[in-house]
Amino acid sequence: MLSIALAGKPNAGKSTFYRAATESEVDVGNYPFTTIDPNRGVSHVRTDCPCLDREERCGNDNCRDGKRYVPVELLDVAGLVPGAHEGRGLGNQFLDELTNADVILNVVDASGATNEEGEPVERGSHDPVEDVDFVEEEMDLWLASIVERNWESVERASRSPDFDIDEALTDMLTGVGATELDVARALRDLDYPEDPIAWEDEHREALASDIRRRTKPIVVVANKADVAPPENLERLQEAADLVVPATADGELGLRRAAEAGVVDYDPGDADFEIVGEVSDDQREGLEQIRDVMAEHGGTGLQTALDRAVYELLDQITVYPVQNESKWTDGQGNVLPDAHLLPAGSTPLDLAYDVHSDIGDAYLHAVDARENRRIAEDHELEEGDVIKIVSSN
């Protein structure tokens, strides 16, 4: 399961985002370090279900009338403060929790109503663009400290006649999610001494920053967009490559209202319908949420998750089945599972993702949409329904 981590300073709305996205109960408070131990839960990304191409919807628990929700892990890390990479505010502990994350959502208080420490201040008095830069810098310096602590082992290895710097750095950096290809591409883009003993801090920091960008890409979630000065949202859009305006409070309110039967709403919808009895105050609150959704195309939470996975990580959704004509598993369940795979994946990759034994025993695959056999190196596409034939 892909892992998405929520990062940012205290009191930016990470825990509210987490509660809404996972429908879990966690502490939420208007004070720094509401979260001490990380929260781990299951959220979902949204895509179109292949059942939309059939006469009837599939009935899967994760399909809502053709809106398919695919599970991902969501990690809520305690708030980071300046100096986190040096351990300030238990920062090293919190940063280490990001090690296995595939992508980071930097939740920023777009309203500017909290300072760099996460303490409440007058709305608009803090520049949220500083919070974008600060999280990236802390992560870069944290990774640079890991490289620094382990550099002696690279220097020792360099004395061997068959030393390979790509291999040595890959061994060091696999623990933070770097692959051999990540290291090779980073070294290709950097200027550095051939002898590791001659490396300076600037070389290690440049390596760390490059590896962080490759292994921990960031989506900036401009939270509290409902109360943010418009100029803050505009400046945030200019400050980062991928920024999603959001209201975690609004999403949480809608999910609770939907659970109570008050509104008809699915996560990621651009609007909702009031279907139950509400008080005048409740109606006013819901209409305020609707106004924000109309301006930004939704509450932003589902958009942030979806863009992190499908855009930044370049994933596709593929559906393995056993019966290629009915699109079912052995128990007759229609489209029972959805797998997230990197773009460019093949049927063999899917087989191994289902189970290593299936991959080892792979014979061939069938495109259930076209009812035809496809090659082992065929590139799968978003929404493909595939039957894997194996000797098991």
Side-chain angles (χ1 to χ4, degrees), residues 11-334:
N11 206 22
K14 297 186 306 303
S15 293
T16 303
F17 188 115
Y18 179 88
R19 288 176 70 186
T22 63
E23 300 183 19
S24 301
E25 289 301 320
V26 298
D27 289 336
V28 175
N30 190 27
Y31 50 89
F33 305 116
T34 304
T35 303
I36 297 298
D37 296 320
N39 297 304
R40 293 180 182 274
V42 175
S43 187
H44 298 82
V45 291
R46 172 174 158 168
T47 187
D48 290 334
C49 186
C51 72
L52 288 169
D53 295 330
R54 298 173 72 89
E55 291 184 4
E56 297 181 0
R57 303 291 73 81
C58 65
N60 189 285
D61 289 343
N62 284 327
C63 179
R64 303 184 187 181
D65 195 27
K67 307 165 189 175
R68 186 69 178 229
Y69 293 90
V70 186
V72 293
E73 181 186 51
L74 189 62
L75 173 65
D76 176 24
V77 177
L80 302 174
V81 295
H85 70 282
E86 297 174 329
R88 184 166 181 266
L90 300 179
N92 280 332
Q93 173 186 326
F94 300 156
L95 285 164
D96 286 346
E97 296 291 345
L98 303 178
T99 297
N100 295 319
D102 296 295
V103 62
I104 308 294
L105 300 186
N106 178 9
V107 182
V108 172
D109 176 5
S111 73
T114 46
N115 64 18
E116 64 274 6
E117 302 284 345
E119 299 163 339
V121 295
E122 183 180 353
R123 184 184 302 171
S125 63
H126 178 74
D127 183 359
V129 173
E130 294 180 8
D131 302 333
V132 175
D133 299 333
F134 139 73
V135 167
E136 291 188 5
E137 290 169 2
E138 289 295 333
M139 291 181 63
D140 286 351
L141 292 171
W142 158 72
L143 187 50
S145 70
I146 293 176
V147 173
E148 175 68 29
R149 289 198 303 269
N150 292 278
W151 197 253
E152 187 178 342
S153 65
V154 177
E155 292 181 350
R156 286 199 304 268
S158 70
R159 300 185 181 101
S160 170
D162 57 352
F163 172 73
D164 184 305
I165 192 168
D166 290 56
E167 188 176 305
L169 293 180
T170 300
D171 288 344
M172 179 207 297
L173 295 167
T174 50
V176 295
T179 65
E180 184 177 355
L181 183 58
D182 291 328
V183 172
R185 286 174 171 170
L187 291 177
R188 185 181 62 199
D189 293 343
L190 298 174
D191 291 323
Y192 59 92
E194 191 170 320
D195 184 354
I197 298 175
W199 279 49
E200 303 287 346
D201 287 345
E202 63 188 76
H203 301 116
R204 286 185 283 269
E205 289 176 6
L207 171 66
S209 181
D210 191 290
I211 291 295
R212 195 274 306 159
R213 286 194 296 271
R214 296 178 191 279
T215 63
K216 304 289 181 286
I218 296 176
V219 175
V220 173
V221 180
N223 193 33
K224 308 183 185 181
D226 50 328
V227 293
E231 58 270 21
N232 279 11
L233 295 176
E234 292 173 4
R235 294 182 63 250
L236 283 169
Q237 293 283 4
E238 296 170 355
D241 293 333
L242 182 47
V243 179
V244 179
T247 168
D249 279 336
E251 178 71 19
L252 182 59
L254 285 180
R255 295 211 187 192
R256 285 177 169 172
E259 185 178 2
V262 173
V263 302
D264 182 8
Y265 171 74
D266 290 325
D269 285 354
D271 199 359
F272 61 89
E273 180 182 359
I274 299 176
V275 294
E277 293 294 328
V278 295
S279 67
D280 290 343
D281 287 345
Q282 289 173 325
R283 183 176 296 275
E284 182 180 355
L286 287 170
E287 292 302 332
Q288 288 175 354
I289 295 173
R290 194 195 302 275
D291 290 343
V292 178
M293 295 174 71
E295 183 176 356
H296 300 295
T299 69
L301 266 71
Q302 193 64 57
T303 300
L305 292 165
D306 294 347
R307 296 189 70 182
V309 169
Y310 290 115
E311 187 172 330
L312 270 190
L313 297 182
D314 198 17
Q315 299 283 303
I316 59 172
T317 323
V318 184
Y319 304 79
V321 296
Q322 291 187 38
N323 187 311
E324 66 270 36
S325 59
K326 297 181 178 180
W327 294 9
T328 59
D329 62 10
Q331 288 71 49
N333 300 305
V334 179

